[in-house]
Amino acid sequence: MSENREQFRPPGHENDHFLLTTVVGSYPKPSWLNRARDLHADPESEFDDEDWREAQDDASRLITNEHERAGLDVVVDGEMRRNEMVEFFADRIDGYEFNGPVKVWGHNYFDKPSVTGEVEYDESWLVSEYEFTASVADRPVKVPITGPYTLASWSFNEAYDGEEALAYDLADLVNEEIEKLVAAGARYIQIDEPALATTPDDHAIVGECLERIVSGIPDDVRIGLHVCYGDYSRIYPELLDFPVHELDLELANGDYDQLDVLKQPEFTKDLALGVVDAHVAEVESVEQIERNIRKGLEVVPPEQLTVSPDCGVKLLPREVAYGKMENLVTAARNVEAELDAGEIDVPARD
Amino acid sequence: MTVVSTTLGLFPLPDDARERLADLKGHQKEDLVSGDEPPDIEAAYDEARDDLLTRQSDAGLDRTVEGQARWDDMLAHPLAVHENVRTEGIVRYYDNNNFYRDPVVTGDLTHSGDLARDLEKASALSDDLQAVVPGPYSLSRLATDEHYGSSQEFLAALGDFLAGEVESFPDAVETVFVLEPSLATETLDGGEDERAAAAIDGVAAAADAEVVVQSYWGTYGEKLHAHLLDTDASALGYDLVTAHDDATYLVQEYGTLDSVSLGVVDGQNTLVESPDTIDERIEWFRDQIPVSEFDTVYATPNTELFYLPVNKFQAKLRALGAAGGDRE
């Protein structure tokens, strides 16, 4: 278990055992925020920059509080200020330019940026987002950041001699951003690398990126890595060599069919286990989620287990997303109580 | 030797068509094309086709394609709209951050005519029409079979299906590009290479036009390449963007058909090649080959172009149109 985990146990936590509950990051935006965005983009509207900032603050406060109401131990603001996981960062990094949307599937597009020159740190990406969220939250705040490998892979590379060189330069920028976040008080950072799932052979590049990312970051800052929708057998056990405290994996979507992959060799990191499916618009029952949490105990003991959804939940209807969070927390607290009472076996200890 | 500038089709939707069609159709998988679009959606596609053909002729391309604006499912399209195919979940399109609906074949792949109808419309707008079809092997890898029972029978059935579709193309079609990325991305073994070539041969034989078989994201295995040289195709295509050394080795060692198609423009990067760069790449290839007299050299992007934003797609068309031309 990583030693920086205990700082996230809420004061007065009711059970001796503590399963850290959190989310991956994104959350459905309130519909009024989308209307506000359209108004802000409309040159004929009187809805100015100040109004737009206020709308984003309101949304950030609303979702942070919604996470707290669900009972999560560590909260996020649902990424209310971010449009898309690559676009948001590329927009803030020198060296990127946008040429227009490209297709992902059907009529779903994203503004895939081009790297046309050396990437450089310009304005801060997330410090103001963190400071605002922390100011309205009563619980610790996690900061998700799109990882450099994904930022490189999901861009057109016009300037660098290969994706690897670009990813390393971006990793140095991520490191600079994390230093600023830590100075602002952040103690929980999550690097999102979904692109690793599409090209698992590049795990060594992701590993080197992470070495650069954590360079000089104090040990009490918890660093997680989120990977989703891939064949974990192609990146495990190599994942265990990454300089992170926690690995956040999507597993509920495949009904834990990849769980055995993580049992040998021993899982030595903290495991953030996906216990609700981010792409099924039905709220899993508390009992179902308890069963899912127990799956995690086959891989790691409770002191290494974090409980979270599979992935960002922004595509779900908001009430479904909330229902999943609420049941996730209830299930985690139930399992803690059963662990306290010695009613649950922990296969990972055997 | 004639250099013919053309593309592998599958274009990005022009901006106004993209917005209009998203509004008309929606964003979920059940909203995607089914083959019997209502008149307002059909009209939007007709306009997009017209627009895409105009862009190609303005750019000076020697062969123009229909653009395949209707192909929501990339190369899997001809199956996705077939009456005996059901579409399921969204699956990854090769090694890209792109997805299509998994087509599940549940009955006989009878003649559809979907591609021919689009080409008929395009033939009224173009004098140098080129058709683009998926190759039978790639289609077999992109789809799921619940009807034919074995991979061998499925591949043969896809070959017959595509041959039937190609046979019904309008006379205006001068070339047919058969796109076969899976021939490069997979290792074909156990006689698979011979069966893939036989299925392609059936498609090539059915066409009343020049047939170009083009693979990308790598190149062909040596034995597969040898089998492909025995088919009725007029030209084999090579991806010089991702595999220039392996491709030239194949041609040096085994020769190729009388004509050749060269992927010389990166279809997946916004960096736009100059016409001179395109010409240099073609020259470089010719210099590597001891006997470099080809009837025709098709100069193309290495992949489909839908990966690009519209402005860069347009710039690549212009670069291709300005390169090449007749030369000794």
Side-chain angles (χ1 to χ4, degrees), chain A residues 112-126:
Chain A
K112 182 172 175 177
S114 301
V115 176
T116 57
E118 199 171 322
V119 291
E120 286 178 37
Y121 195 90
D122 181 15
E123 55 183 315
S124 153
W125 312 343
L126 297 167

Side-chain angles (χ1 to χ4, degrees), chain B residues 3-6 56-62 265 272-279 282 299 314-327:
Chain B
V3 174
V4 171
S5 56
T6 184
Q56 293 170 83
S57 52
D58 288 353
L61 288 176
D62 297 318
V265 165
V272 179
E273 296 83 355
S274 69
D276 285 347
T277 299
I278 296 171
D279 287 341
I282 295 169
Q314 180 83 37
K316 298 243 175 186
L317 291 187
R318 280 197 293 265
L320 271 165
D326 290 336
R327 60 183 69 203

